[in-house]
Amino acid sequence: MRIVADRARCAGHGMCEAVAPTLFQVGADGITEPLVDTVDEADKQLVALAVDSCPVQALRLEP
């Protein structure tokens, strides 16, 4: 499973980084960036929570 961030849709709210700071970072440009390419089984629930917390739905999970 991997995280996909829609950079055009991201508004830089930082909810993903607040929920999962080891997995997401809002860059200097104000756009979120996933810090991992693939999601470990242990982080699956945390990533799902971060994706769901995005107010502009800029994040999604792909198999």
Side-chain angles (χ1 to χ4, degrees):
M1 178 178 296
R2 69 184 199 102
I3 305 165
V4 178
D6 183 340
R7 295 181 55 79
R9 180 174 259 181
C10 179
H13 293 284
M15 294 302 295
C16 56
E17 185 178 29
V19 170
T22 60
L23 301 171
F24 296 93
Q25 179 178 12
V26 176
D29 61 356
I31 305 299
T32 194
E33 184 108 10
L35 298 176
V36 297
D37 291 323
T38 58
V39 178
D40 292 334
E41 188 66 33
D43 292 327
K44 219 174 192 179
Q45 284 186 314
L46 183 60
V47 170
L49 182 61
V51 168
D52 289 343
S53 75
C54 181
V56 295
Q57 299 173 331
L59 300 171
R60 70 180 187 278
L61 294 173
E62 291 186 344

